Amino acid sequence: QVQLQESGGGLVQAGGSLNLSCVISGRTFASHGMAWFRQGPGQEREFVAAINWNGASTYYTDSVKGRFTISRDNAKNTVYLQMNGLKLDDTAVYYCAANGGVLATTPRLYDFWGQGTQVTVSS
């Protein structure tokens, strides 16, 4: 059974940084495309960043470009989201997701999901 487990969320002041991690187990991690999504209070789940199976390609939503960096370590079965310059609008539950290797921004194209980790940015 495939499992994804996020960690690294928390409370941070605006302008601060957090580094989220997501460990995948149960399958060969290196074959998966990975992504981070987020869902704020009363909002739909939205795409944040994606990375292809070998890390050669990444993609970001416009609102996080230049502030967030997605990366992966296939030897550790882990994908990361380094978040710098956090803003109040970044407050959300952050989810990692995995698919068969496609670089995608649509939730329905991801087969496996973690439970999420809360990120709260305060003023």
Side-chain angles (χ1 to χ4, degrees):
Q1 183 177 357
V2 178
Q3 291 187 329
L4 284 74
Q5 181 64 58
E6 303 97 335
S7 62
L11 175 64
V12 63
Q13 287 190 325
S17 298
L18 285 173
N19 189 26
L20 306 183
S21 299
C22 173
V23 179
I24 187 170
S25 60
R27 291 177 69 109
T28 303
F29 174 73
S31 64
H32 287 286
M34 301 293 297
W36 289 93
F37 290 80
R38 66 186 180 187
Q39 188 166 14
Q43 298 179 354
E44 294 186 354
R45 192 166 298 189
E46 67 169 347
F47 169 78
V48 176
I51 189 166
N52 76 327
W53 69 276
N54 65 358
S57 296
T58 58
Y59 188 76
Y60 300 90
T61 192
D62 286 346
S63 63
V64 308
K65 285 181 180 177
R67 299 189 297 123
F68 291 10
T69 302
I70 188 170
S71 62
R72 65 191 295 158
D73 185 340
N74 287 350
K76 295 182 178 180
N77 291 351
T78 303
V79 62
Y80 305 96
L81 186 67
Q82 176 65 44
M83 306 187 294
N84 299 326
L86 282 161
K87 304 177 180 179
L88 298 179
D89 288 347
D90 294 320
T91 294
V93 177
Y94 283 70
Y95 299 89
C96 71
N99 66 17
V102 177
L103 193 67
T105 64
T106 305
R108 64 179 177 84
L109 295 181
Y110 287 86
D111 306 303
F112 307 104
W113 292 83
Q115 294 299 307
T117 185
Q118 176 70 46
V119 172
T120 303
V121 184
S122 65
S123 59

PDB file of all heavy atoms in Angstrom, residues 29-67:
ATOM      1  N   PHE A  29       9.813   5.028  -5.344  1.00  0.00           N
ATOM      2  CA  PHE A  29       9.609   6.470  -5.345  1.00  0.00           C
ATOM      3  C   PHE A  29      10.129   7.119  -6.610  1.00  0.00           C
ATOM      4  O   PHE A  29       9.530   8.051  -7.132  1.00  0.00           O
ATOM      5  CB  PHE A  29      10.314   7.056  -4.116  1.00  0.00           C
ATOM      6  CG  PHE A  29      10.305   8.553  -4.059  1.00  0.00           C
ATOM      7  CD1 PHE A  29       9.133   9.232  -3.760  1.00  0.00           C
ATOM      8  CD2 PHE A  29      11.460   9.285  -4.293  1.00  0.00           C
ATOM      9  CE1 PHE A  29       9.121  10.618  -3.692  1.00  0.00           C
ATOM     10  CE2 PHE A  29      11.458  10.662  -4.219  1.00  0.00           C
ATOM     11  CZ  PHE A  29      10.285  11.335  -3.916  1.00  0.00           C
ATOM     12  N   ALA A  30      11.235   6.627  -7.113  1.00  0.00           N
ATOM     13  CA  ALA A  30      11.906   7.311  -8.212  1.00  0.00           C
ATOM     14  C   ALA A  30      11.060   7.373  -9.472  1.00  0.00           C
ATOM     15  O   ALA A  30      11.333   8.184 -10.353  1.00  0.00           O
ATOM     16  CB  ALA A  30      13.238   6.637  -8.509  1.00  0.00           C
ATOM     17  N   SER A  31      10.039   6.561  -9.598  1.00  0.00           N
ATOM     18  CA  SER A  31       9.228   6.568 -10.812  1.00  0.00           C
ATOM     19  C   SER A  31       8.078   7.574 -10.751  1.00  0.00           C
ATOM     20  O   SER A  31       7.379   7.780 -11.735  1.00  0.00           O
ATOM     21  CB  SER A  31       8.653   5.177 -11.060  1.00  0.00           C
ATOM     22  OG  SER A  31       7.765   4.812 -10.020  1.00  0.00           O
ATOM     23  N   HIS A  32       7.885   8.201  -9.615  1.00  0.00           N
ATOM     24  CA  HIS A  32       6.713   9.045  -9.427  1.00  0.00           C
ATOM     25  C   HIS A  32       6.981  10.508  -9.739  1.00  0.00           C
ATOM     26  O   HIS A  32       8.035  11.041  -9.396  1.00  0.00           O
ATOM     27  CB  HIS A  32       6.227   8.965  -7.978  1.00  0.00           C
ATOM     28  CG  HIS A  32       5.567   7.665  -7.639  1.00  0.00           C
ATOM     29  ND1 HIS A  32       4.305   7.346  -8.091  1.00  0.00           N
ATOM     30  CD2 HIS A  32       5.980   6.625  -6.905  1.00  0.00           C
ATOM     31  CE1 HIS A  32       3.968   6.161  -7.633  1.00  0.00           C
ATOM     32  NE2 HIS A  32       4.975   5.686  -6.921  1.00  0.00           N
ATOM     33  N   GLY A  33       6.000  11.149 -10.376  1.00  0.00           N
ATOM     34  CA  GLY A  33       5.948  12.587 -10.348  1.00  0.00           C
ATOM     35  C   GLY A  33       5.348  13.002  -9.015  1.00  0.00           C
ATOM     36  O   GLY A  33       4.463  12.326  -8.487  1.00  0.00           O
ATOM     37  N   MET A  34       5.846  14.091  -8.449  1.00  0.00           N
ATOM     38  CA  MET A  34       5.402  14.528  -7.130  1.00  0.00           C
ATOM     39  C   MET A  34       4.959  15.981  -7.190  1.00  0.00           C
ATOM     40  O   MET A  34       5.456  16.756  -8.016  1.00  0.00           O
ATOM     41  CB  MET A  34       6.536  14.380  -6.109  1.00  0.00           C
ATOM     42  CG  MET A  34       7.083  12.977  -5.949  1.00  0.00           C
ATOM     43  SD  MET A  34       5.894  11.835  -5.231  1.00  0.00           S
ATOM     44  CE  MET A  34       5.644  12.555  -3.617  1.00  0.00           C
ATOM     45  N   ALA A  35       4.064  16.329  -6.295  1.00  0.00           N
ATOM     46  CA  ALA A  35       3.577  17.704  -6.265  1.00  0.00           C
ATOM     47  C   ALA A  35       3.150  18.076  -4.861  1.00  0.00           C
ATOM     48  O   ALA A  35       2.899  17.213  -4.016  1.00  0.00           O
ATOM     49  CB  ALA A  35       2.410  17.877  -7.222  1.00  0.00           C
ATOM     50  N   TRP A  36       3.070  19.373  -4.650  1.00  0.00           N
ATOM     51  CA  TRP A  36       2.478  19.936  -3.441  1.00  0.00           C
ATOM     52  C   TRP A  36       1.244  20.729  -3.838  1.00  0.00           C
ATOM     53  O   TRP A  36       1.280  21.515  -4.802  1.00  0.00           O
ATOM     54  CB  TRP A  36       3.462  20.844  -2.721  1.00  0.00           C
ATOM     55  CG  TRP A  36       4.592  20.120  -2.071  1.00  0.00           C
ATOM     56  CD1 TRP A  36       5.822  19.867  -2.600  1.00  0.00           C
ATOM     57  CD2 TRP A  36       4.597  19.547  -0.763  1.00  0.00           C
ATOM     58  NE1 TRP A  36       6.597  19.167  -1.708  1.00  0.00           N
ATOM     59  CE2 TRP A  36       5.858  18.969  -0.556  1.00  0.00           C
ATOM     60  CE3 TRP A  36       3.663  19.465   0.276  1.00  0.00           C
ATOM     61  CZ2 TRP A  36       6.217  18.324   0.624  1.00  0.00           C
ATOM     62  CZ3 TRP A  36       4.013  18.826   1.452  1.00  0.00           C
ATOM     63  CH2 TRP A  36       5.279  18.258   1.619  1.00  0.00           C
ATOM     64  N   PHE A  37       0.186  20.522  -3.105  1.00  0.00           N
ATOM     65  CA  PHE A  37      -1.039  21.293  -3.213  1.00  0.00           C
ATOM     66  C   PHE A  37      -1.327  21.908  -1.847  1.00  0.00           C
ATOM     67  O   PHE A  37      -0.747  21.496  -0.839  1.00  0.00           O
ATOM     68  CB  PHE A  37      -2.209  20.399  -3.632  1.00  0.00           C
ATOM     69  CG  PHE A  37      -2.129  19.903  -5.040  1.00  0.00           C
ATOM     70  CD1 PHE A  37      -1.318  18.831  -5.380  1.00  0.00           C
ATOM     71  CD2 PHE A  37      -2.868  20.510  -6.052  1.00  0.00           C
ATOM     72  CE1 PHE A  37      -1.235  18.371  -6.685  1.00  0.00           C
ATOM     73  CE2 PHE A  37      -2.794  20.059  -7.362  1.00  0.00           C
ATOM     74  CZ  PHE A  37      -1.980  18.983  -7.674  1.00  0.00           C
ATOM     75  N   ARG A  38      -2.235  22.862  -1.825  1.00  0.00           N
ATOM     76  CA  ARG A  38      -2.648  23.445  -0.549  1.00  0.00           C
ATOM     77  C   ARG A  38      -4.116  23.781  -0.589  1.00  0.00           C
ATOM     78  O   ARG A  38      -4.708  24.002  -1.659  1.00  0.00           O
ATOM     79  CB  ARG A  38      -1.820  24.677  -0.203  1.00  0.00           C
ATOM     80  CG  ARG A  38      -2.012  25.851  -1.139  1.00  0.00           C
ATOM     81  CD  ARG A  38      -1.025  26.961  -0.787  1.00  0.00           C
ATOM     82  NE  ARG A  38      -1.171  28.111  -1.676  1.00  0.00           N
ATOM     83  CZ  ARG A  38      -0.356  29.161  -1.685  1.00  0.00           C
ATOM     84  NH1 ARG A  38       0.688  29.204  -0.838  1.00  0.00           N
ATOM     85  NH2 ARG A  38      -0.563  30.157  -2.515  1.00  0.00           N
ATOM     86  N   GLN A  39      -4.699  23.824   0.605  1.00  0.00           N
ATOM     87  CA  GLN A  39      -6.115  24.155   0.720  1.00  0.00           C
ATOM     88  C   GLN A  39      -6.303  25.053   1.922  1.00  0.00           C
ATOM     89  O   GLN A  39      -6.091  24.637   3.074  1.00  0.00           O
ATOM     90  CB  GLN A  39      -6.963  22.892   0.862  1.00  0.00           C
ATOM     91  CG  GLN A  39      -8.445  23.125   0.796  1.00  0.00           C
ATOM     92  CD  GLN A  39      -9.223  21.840   0.591  1.00  0.00           C
ATOM     93  OE1 GLN A  39      -8.702  20.741   0.741  1.00  0.00           O
ATOM     94  NE2 GLN A  39     -10.482  21.968   0.222  1.00  0.00           N
ATOM     95  N   GLY A  40      -6.677  26.290   1.637  1.00  0.00           N
ATOM     96  CA  GLY A  40      -6.945  27.241   2.701  1.00  0.00           C
ATOM     97  C   GLY A  40      -8.362  27.115   3.209  1.00  0.00           C
ATOM     98  O   GLY A  40      -9.191  26.447   2.591  1.00  0.00           O
ATOM     99  N   PRO A  41      -8.675  27.772   4.323  1.00  0.00           N
ATOM    100  CA  PRO A  41     -10.019  27.699   4.896  1.00  0.00           C
ATOM    101  C   PRO A  41     -11.076  28.150   3.894  1.00  0.00           C
ATOM    102  O   PRO A  41     -10.982  29.252   3.347  1.00  0.00           O
ATOM    103  CB  PRO A  41      -9.936  28.648   6.097  1.00  0.00           C
ATOM    104  CG  PRO A  41      -8.483  28.735   6.417  1.00  0.00           C
ATOM    105  CD  PRO A  41      -7.762  28.606   5.122  1.00  0.00           C
ATOM    106  N   GLY A  42     -12.053  27.306   3.637  1.00  0.00           N
ATOM    107  CA  GLY A  42     -13.139  27.649   2.739  1.00  0.00           C
ATOM    108  C   GLY A  42     -12.756  27.724   1.275  1.00  0.00           C
ATOM    109  O   GLY A  42     -13.526  28.233   0.459  1.00  0.00           O
ATOM    110  N   GLN A  43     -11.568  27.216   0.953  1.00  0.00           N
ATOM    111  CA  GLN A  43     -11.088  27.298  -0.431  1.00  0.00           C
ATOM    112  C   GLN A  43     -10.931  25.912  -1.040  1.00  0.00           C
ATOM    113  O   GLN A  43     -10.854  24.913  -0.330  1.00  0.00           O
ATOM    114  CB  GLN A  43      -9.754  28.042  -0.473  1.00  0.00           C
ATOM    115  CG  GLN A  43      -9.832  29.471   0.022  1.00  0.00           C
ATOM    116  CD  GLN A  43      -8.481  30.162  -0.022  1.00  0.00           C
ATOM    117  OE1 GLN A  43      -7.452  29.562  -0.308  1.00  0.00           O
ATOM    118  NE2 GLN A  43      -8.492  31.462   0.240  1.00  0.00           N
ATOM    119  N   GLU A  44     -10.864  25.886  -2.352  1.00  0.00           N
ATOM    120  CA  GLU A  44     -10.597  24.633  -3.047  1.00  0.00           C
ATOM    121  C   GLU A  44      -9.100  24.312  -2.980  1.00  0.00           C
ATOM    122  O   GLU A  44      -8.266  25.198  -2.780  1.00  0.00           O
ATOM    123  CB  GLU A  44     -11.043  24.731  -4.508  1.00  0.00           C
ATOM    124  CG  GLU A  44     -12.542  24.874  -4.679  1.00  0.00           C
ATOM    125  CD  GLU A  44     -12.954  24.833  -6.140  1.00  0.00           C
ATOM    126  OE1 GLU A  44     -12.076  24.808  -7.015  1.00  0.00           O
ATOM    127  OE2 GLU A  44     -14.165  24.828  -6.402  1.00  0.00           O
ATOM    128  N   ARG A  45      -8.803  23.047  -3.163  1.00  0.00           N
ATOM    129  CA  ARG A  45      -7.399  22.635  -3.187  1.00  0.00           C
ATOM    130  C   ARG A  45      -6.740  23.223  -4.428  1.00  0.00           C
ATOM    131  O   ARG A  45      -7.274  23.128  -5.529  1.00  0.00           O
ATOM    132  CB  ARG A  45      -7.297  21.114  -3.191  1.00  0.00           C
ATOM    133  CG  ARG A  45      -5.908  20.584  -2.926  1.00  0.00           C
ATOM    134  CD  ARG A  45      -5.933  19.115  -2.614  1.00  0.00           C
ATOM    135  NE  ARG A  45      -6.703  18.831  -1.392  1.00  0.00           N
ATOM    136  CZ  ARG A  45      -6.742  17.638  -0.809  1.00  0.00           C
ATOM    137  NH1 ARG A  45      -6.058  16.617  -1.327  1.00  0.00           N
ATOM    138  NH2 ARG A  45      -7.459  17.449   0.276  1.00  0.00           N
ATOM    139  N   GLU A  46      -5.577  23.837  -4.234  1.00  0.00           N
ATOM    140  CA  GLU A  46      -4.898  24.463  -5.353  1.00  0.00           C
ATOM    141  C   GLU A  46      -3.476  23.942  -5.495  1.00  0.00           C
ATOM    142  O   GLU A  46      -2.818  23.582  -4.513  1.00  0.00           O
ATOM    143  CB  GLU A  46      -4.869  25.994  -5.193  1.00  0.00           C
ATOM    144  CG  GLU A  46      -4.035  26.498  -4.045  1.00  0.00           C
ATOM    145  CD  GLU A  46      -3.815  28.013  -4.098  1.00  0.00           C
ATOM    146  OE1 GLU A  46      -4.104  28.643  -5.139  1.00  0.00           O
ATOM    147  OE2 GLU A  46      -3.327  28.553  -3.093  1.00  0.00           O
ATOM    148  N   PHE A  47      -3.016  23.963  -6.721  1.00  0.00           N
ATOM    149  CA  PHE A  47      -1.664  23.513  -7.052  1.00  0.00           C
ATOM    150  C   PHE A  47      -0.638  24.510  -6.541  1.00  0.00           C
ATOM    151  O   PHE A  47      -0.835  25.728  -6.639  1.00  0.00           O
ATOM    152  CB  PHE A  47      -1.537  23.366  -8.564  1.00  0.00           C
ATOM    153  CG  PHE A  47      -0.138  23.154  -9.047  1.00  0.00           C
ATOM    154  CD1 PHE A  47       0.471  21.919  -8.935  1.00  0.00           C
ATOM    155  CD2 PHE A  47       0.578  24.199  -9.611  1.00  0.00           C
ATOM    156  CE1 PHE A  47       1.763  21.723  -9.376  1.00  0.00           C
ATOM    157  CE2 PHE A  47       1.873  24.019 -10.057  1.00  0.00           C
ATOM    158  CZ  PHE A  47       2.461  22.782  -9.934  1.00  0.00           C
ATOM    159  N   VAL A  48       0.476  23.991  -6.028  1.00  0.00           N
ATOM    160  CA  VAL A  48       1.568  24.847  -5.575  1.00  0.00           C
ATOM    161  C   VAL A  48       2.821  24.621  -6.421  1.00  0.00           C
ATOM    162  O   VAL A  48       3.366  25.553  -7.002  1.00  0.00           O
ATOM    163  CB  VAL A  48       1.893  24.592  -4.094  1.00  0.00           C
ATOM    164  CG1 VAL A  48       3.098  25.424  -3.655  1.00  0.00           C
ATOM    165  CG2 VAL A  48       0.687  24.893  -3.213  1.00  0.00           C
ATOM    166  N   ALA A  49       3.290  23.370  -6.485  1.00  0.00           N
ATOM    167  CA  ALA A  49       4.533  23.068  -7.185  1.00  0.00           C
ATOM    168  C   ALA A  49       4.568  21.600  -7.551  1.00  0.00           C
ATOM    169  O   ALA A  49       3.952  20.778  -6.871  1.00  0.00           O
ATOM    170  CB  ALA A  49       5.745  23.423  -6.327  1.00  0.00           C
ATOM    171  N   ALA A  50       5.300  21.284  -8.620  1.00  0.00           N
ATOM    172  CA  ALA A  50       5.435  19.898  -9.055  1.00  0.00           C
ATOM    173  C   ALA A  50       6.851  19.640  -9.523  1.00  0.00           C
ATOM    174  O   ALA A  50       7.557  20.555  -9.963  1.00  0.00           O
ATOM    175  CB  ALA A  50       4.445  19.579 -10.177  1.00  0.00           C
ATOM    176  N   ILE A  51       7.240  18.371  -9.462  1.00  0.00           N
ATOM    177  CA  ILE A  51       8.571  17.969  -9.900  1.00  0.00           C
ATOM    178  C   ILE A  51       8.458  16.609 -10.578  1.00  0.00           C
ATOM    179  O   ILE A  51       7.685  15.745 -10.140  1.00  0.00           O
ATOM    180  CB  ILE A  51       9.539  17.925  -8.695  1.00  0.00           C
ATOM    181  CG1 ILE A  51      10.986  17.716  -9.135  1.00  0.00           C
ATOM    182  CG2 ILE A  51       9.115  16.877  -7.671  1.00  0.00           C
ATOM    183  CD1 ILE A  51      11.995  18.006  -8.026  1.00  0.00           C
ATOM    184  N   ASN A  52       9.200  16.443 -11.671  1.00  0.00           N
ATOM    185  CA  ASN A  52       9.087  15.174 -12.385  1.00  0.00           C
ATOM    186  C   ASN A  52       9.919  14.095 -11.695  1.00  0.00           C
ATOM    187  O   ASN A  52      10.573  14.344 -10.681  1.00  0.00           O
ATOM    188  CB  ASN A  52       9.455  15.340 -13.854  1.00  0.00           C
ATOM    189  CG  ASN A  52      10.946  15.453 -14.065  1.00  0.00           C
ATOM    190  OD1 ASN A  52      11.652  15.998 -13.212  1.00  0.00           O
ATOM    191  ND2 ASN A  52      11.440  14.939 -15.174  1.00  0.00           N
ATOM    192  N   TRP A  53       9.956  12.911 -12.277  1.00  0.00           N
ATOM    193  CA  TRP A  53      10.490  11.754 -11.581  1.00  0.00           C
ATOM    194  C   TRP A  53      11.965  11.892 -11.231  1.00  0.00           C
ATOM    195  O   TRP A  53      12.410  11.378 -10.207  1.00  0.00           O
ATOM    196  CB  TRP A  53      10.282  10.484 -12.423  1.00  0.00           C
ATOM    197  CG  TRP A  53      11.113  10.441 -13.672  1.00  0.00           C
ATOM    198  CD1 TRP A  53      10.830  11.003 -14.869  1.00  0.00           C
ATOM    199  CD2 TRP A  53      12.402   9.825 -13.809  1.00  0.00           C
ATOM    200  NE1 TRP A  53      11.851  10.776 -15.759  1.00  0.00           N
ATOM    201  CE2 TRP A  53      12.819  10.059 -15.146  1.00  0.00           C
ATOM    202  CE3 TRP A  53      13.225   9.107 -12.949  1.00  0.00           C
ATOM    203  CZ2 TRP A  53      14.040   9.592 -15.620  1.00  0.00           C
ATOM    204  CZ3 TRP A  53      14.429   8.631 -13.423  1.00  0.00           C
ATOM    205  CH2 TRP A  53      14.833   8.883 -14.743  1.00  0.00           C
ATOM    206  N   ASN A  54      12.737  12.590 -12.047  1.00  0.00           N
ATOM    207  CA  ASN A  54      14.176  12.671 -11.759  1.00  0.00           C
ATOM    208  C   ASN A  54      14.612  14.056 -11.292  1.00  0.00           C
ATOM    209  O   ASN A  54      15.797  14.306 -11.129  1.00  0.00           O
ATOM    210  CB  ASN A  54      14.994  12.261 -12.975  1.00  0.00           C
ATOM    211  CG  ASN A  54      14.816  13.207 -14.143  1.00  0.00           C
ATOM    212  OD1 ASN A  54      14.060  14.173 -14.089  1.00  0.00           O
ATOM    213  ND2 ASN A  54      15.527  12.944 -15.225  1.00  0.00           N
ATOM    214  N   GLY A  55      13.650  14.950 -11.094  1.00  0.00           N
ATOM    215  CA  GLY A  55      13.967  16.276 -10.596  1.00  0.00           C
ATOM    216  C   GLY A  55      14.446  17.248 -11.656  1.00  0.00           C
ATOM    217  O   GLY A  55      14.770  18.399 -11.336  1.00  0.00           O
ATOM    218  N   ALA A  56      14.468  16.833 -12.899  1.00  0.00           N
ATOM    219  CA  ALA A  56      14.984  17.698 -13.956  1.00  0.00           C
ATOM    220  C   ALA A  56      14.020  18.811 -14.330  1.00  0.00           C
ATOM    221  O   ALA A  56      14.434  19.841 -14.871  1.00  0.00           O
ATOM    222  CB  ALA A  56      15.306  16.858 -15.190  1.00  0.00           C
ATOM    223  N   SER A  57      12.750  18.606 -14.055  1.00  0.00           N
ATOM    224  CA  SER A  57      11.735  19.594 -14.409  1.00  0.00           C
ATOM    225  C   SER A  57      10.890  19.925 -13.188  1.00  0.00           C
ATOM    226  O   SER A  57      10.486  19.036 -12.445  1.00  0.00           O
ATOM    227  CB  SER A  57      10.831  19.059 -15.516  1.00  0.00           C
ATOM    228  OG  SER A  57      11.558  18.834 -16.704  1.00  0.00           O
ATOM    229  N   THR A  58      10.643  21.214 -13.030  1.00  0.00           N
ATOM    230  CA  THR A  58       9.779  21.685 -11.951  1.00  0.00           C
ATOM    231  C   THR A  58       8.807  22.720 -12.506  1.00  0.00           C
ATOM    232  O   THR A  58       9.050  23.322 -13.565  1.00  0.00           O
ATOM    233  CB  THR A  58      10.581  22.319 -10.802  1.00  0.00           C
ATOM    234  OG1 THR A  58      11.358  23.411 -11.324  1.00  0.00           O
ATOM    235  CG2 THR A  58      11.514  21.311 -10.154  1.00  0.00           C
ATOM    236  N   TYR A  59       7.740  22.925 -11.759  1.00  0.00           N
ATOM    237  CA  TYR A  59       6.729  23.906 -12.181  1.00  0.00           C
ATOM    238  C   TYR A  59       6.081  24.467 -10.939  1.00  0.00           C
ATOM    239  O   TYR A  59       5.838  23.748  -9.972  1.00  0.00           O
ATOM    240  CB  TYR A  59       5.695  23.252 -13.098  1.00  0.00           C
ATOM    241  CG  TYR A  59       4.743  24.236 -13.720  1.00  0.00           C
ATOM    242  CD1 TYR A  59       5.170  25.035 -14.782  1.00  0.00           C
ATOM    243  CD2 TYR A  59       3.444  24.390 -13.253  1.00  0.00           C
ATOM    244  CE1 TYR A  59       4.312  25.959 -15.349  1.00  0.00           C
ATOM    245  CE2 TYR A  59       2.591  25.300 -13.826  1.00  0.00           C
ATOM    246  CZ  TYR A  59       3.026  26.081 -14.876  1.00  0.00           C
ATOM    247  OH  TYR A  59       2.185  26.999 -15.437  1.00  0.00           O
ATOM    248  N   TYR A  60       5.793  25.774 -10.978  1.00  0.00           N
ATOM    249  CA  TYR A  60       5.231  26.465  -9.817  1.00  0.00           C
ATOM    250  C   TYR A  60       4.030  27.302 -10.214  1.00  0.00           C
ATOM    251  O   TYR A  60       3.978  27.850 -11.324  1.00  0.00           O
ATOM    252  CB  TYR A  60       6.275  27.393  -9.199  1.00  0.00           C
ATOM    253  CG  TYR A  60       7.524  26.701  -8.711  1.00  0.00           C
ATOM    254  CD1 TYR A  60       8.613  26.526  -9.548  1.00  0.00           C
ATOM    255  CD2 TYR A  60       7.612  26.230  -7.396  1.00  0.00           C
ATOM    256  CE1 TYR A  60       9.758  25.885  -9.109  1.00  0.00           C
ATOM    257  CE2 TYR A  60       8.764  25.599  -6.943  1.00  0.00           C
ATOM    258  CZ  TYR A  60       9.821  25.423  -7.805  1.00  0.00           C
ATOM    259  OH  TYR A  60      10.967  24.797  -7.358  1.00  0.00           O
ATOM    260  N   THR A  61       3.109  27.437  -9.296  1.00  0.00           N
ATOM    261  CA  THR A  61       2.068  28.422  -9.506  1.00  0.00           C
ATOM    262  C   THR A  61       2.675  29.808  -9.360  1.00  0.00           C
ATOM    263  O   THR A  61       3.669  29.996  -8.633  1.00  0.00           O
ATOM    264  CB  THR A  61       0.915  28.213  -8.510  1.00  0.00           C
ATOM    265  OG1 THR A  61      -0.203  28.994  -8.894  1.00  0.00           O
ATOM    266  CG2 THR A  61       1.321  28.567  -7.083  1.00  0.00           C
ATOM    267  N   ASP A  62       2.109  30.785 -10.028  1.00  0.00           N
ATOM    268  CA  ASP A  62       2.716  32.108 -10.093  1.00  0.00           C
ATOM    269  C   ASP A  62       2.916  32.741  -8.719  1.00  0.00           C
ATOM    270  O   ASP A  62       3.908  33.445  -8.493  1.00  0.00           O
ATOM    271  CB  ASP A  62       1.860  33.032 -10.962  1.00  0.00           C
ATOM    272  CG  ASP A  62       1.988  32.722 -12.445  1.00  0.00           C
ATOM    273  OD1 ASP A  62       2.914  31.989 -12.828  1.00  0.00           O
ATOM    274  OD2 ASP A  62       1.147  33.223 -13.222  1.00  0.00           O
ATOM    275  N   SER A  63       2.007  32.506  -7.813  1.00  0.00           N
ATOM    276  CA  SER A  63       2.050  33.196  -6.522  1.00  0.00           C
ATOM    277  C   SER A  63       3.215  32.761  -5.639  1.00  0.00           C
ATOM    278  O   SER A  63       3.529  33.445  -4.659  1.00  0.00           O
ATOM    279  CB  SER A  63       0.732  32.990  -5.770  1.00  0.00           C
ATOM    280  OG  SER A  63       0.538  31.626  -5.468  1.00  0.00           O
ATOM    281  N   VAL A  64       3.870  31.655  -5.967  1.00  0.00           N
ATOM    282  CA  VAL A  64       4.977  31.185  -5.131  1.00  0.00           C
ATOM    283  C   VAL A  64       6.315  31.215  -5.858  1.00  0.00           C
ATOM    284  O   VAL A  64       7.356  30.919  -5.251  1.00  0.00           O
ATOM    285  CB  VAL A  64       4.720  29.766  -4.576  1.00  0.00           C
ATOM    286  CG1 VAL A  64       3.371  29.694  -3.887  1.00  0.00           C
ATOM    287  CG2 VAL A  64       4.845  28.699  -5.660  1.00  0.00           C
ATOM    288  N   LYS A  65       6.313  31.571  -7.122  1.00  0.00           N
ATOM    289  CA  LYS A  65       7.566  31.614  -7.879  1.00  0.00           C
ATOM    290  C   LYS A  65       8.551  32.581  -7.231  1.00  0.00           C
ATOM    291  O   LYS A  65       8.193  33.691  -6.858  1.00  0.00           O
ATOM    292  CB  LYS A  65       7.287  32.030  -9.320  1.00  0.00           C
ATOM    293  CG  LYS A  65       6.660  30.953 -10.168  1.00  0.00           C
ATOM    294  CD  LYS A  65       6.427  31.441 -11.591  1.00  0.00           C
ATOM    295  CE  LYS A  65       5.785  30.358 -12.437  1.00  0.00           C
ATOM    296  NZ  LYS A  65       5.484  30.840 -13.820  1.00  0.00           N
ATOM    297  N   GLY A  66       9.787  32.125  -7.099  1.00  0.00           N
ATOM    298  CA  GLY A  66      10.816  32.940  -6.479  1.00  0.00           C
ATOM    299  C   GLY A  66      10.847  32.844  -4.965  1.00  0.00           C
ATOM    300  O   GLY A  66      11.794  33.336  -4.335  1.00  0.00           O
ATOM    301  N   ARG A  67       9.823  32.223  -4.365  1.00  0.00           N
ATOM    302  CA  ARG A  67       9.774  32.081  -2.899  1.00  0.00           C
ATOM    303  C   ARG A  67       9.855  30.617  -2.466  1.00  0.00           C
ATOM    304  O   ARG A  67      10.462  30.310  -1.440  1.00  0.00           O
ATOM    305  CB  ARG A  67       8.489  32.693  -2.349  1.00  0.00           C
ATOM    306  CG  ARG A  67       8.338  34.173  -2.633  1.00  0.00           C
ATOM    307  CD  ARG A  67       7.145  34.765  -1.859  1.00  0.00           C
ATOM    308  NE  ARG A  67       5.878  34.171  -2.254  1.00  0.00           N
ATOM    309  CZ  ARG A  67       5.043  33.571  -1.409  1.00  0.00           C
ATOM    310  NH1 ARG A  67       5.341  33.476  -0.137  1.00  0.00           N
ATOM    311  NH2 ARG A  67       3.892  33.068  -1.847  1.00  0.00           N
TER     312      ARG A  67
END
